[in-house]
Amino acid sequence: MASVTREIIIEAAPAAVWAAISDFIEGPVRMAPGFVTDSRPDGPDTRVVTFADGTVLRERLVALDHDALRLAYAVVGGSLRPTHDNASMQVVPHGDGRSRFVWIHDVLPDALAPGIGAAMDHGLAVFAGTFGGRPTPGR
């Protein structure tokens, strides 16, 4: 299974970053406006996310942990049809009012990983700009 990990330092307090991420339905548009053009509910724990390039993903909420500032979700349909998918986003305080944002995406087949990684890179650049800062690359 391919695992794609991205980390950035964001010039915003963890509470502000978590407020956007933890909003499962509206969060994608709040985090990356323009990169994500729409996010709407599709059942009690599922959302449909539309991206500027026309990609549409149906994603299911797996876990929402307010104490750990961690959200986990899985792609369960749409334009991308992995045989397995699980992703998590977590906010970690990084001193001086900044946040470290960790995004991990596990996917099968492995061939999907490069495209997912490129989309994550693009989304993170927009996300960092949304919070008034530039990302410091993690890993």
Side-chain angles (χ1 to χ4, degrees), residues 34-130:
F35 177 67
V36 176
T37 59
D38 187 47
S39 181
R40 59 181 170 78
D42 186 30
D45 293 327
T46 306
R47 67 186 177 195
V48 175
V49 181
T50 304
F51 296 83
D53 69 358
T55 300
V56 176
L57 299 179
R58 190 166 178 265
E59 299 174 336
R60 177 171 294 129
L61 178 64
V62 174
L64 183 63
D65 186 335
H66 291 288
D67 294 329
L69 305 181
R70 182 178 177 275
L71 170 96
Y73 64 95
V75 174
V76 295
S79 303
L80 185 67
R81 298 228 179 236
T83 57
H84 173 83
D85 181 86
N86 191 71
S88 66
M89 298 176 166
Q90 187 166 17
V91 182
V92 180
H94 195 72
D96 297 331
R98 297 182 301 159
S99 302
R100 181 166 53 99
F101 178 72
V102 181
W103 192 2
I104 302 170
H105 206 117
D106 299 321
V107 65
L108 283 174
D110 292 355
L112 294 175
I116 287 172
M120 289 167 70
D121 289 338
H122 187 125
L124 284 176
V126 175
F127 182 39
T130 299

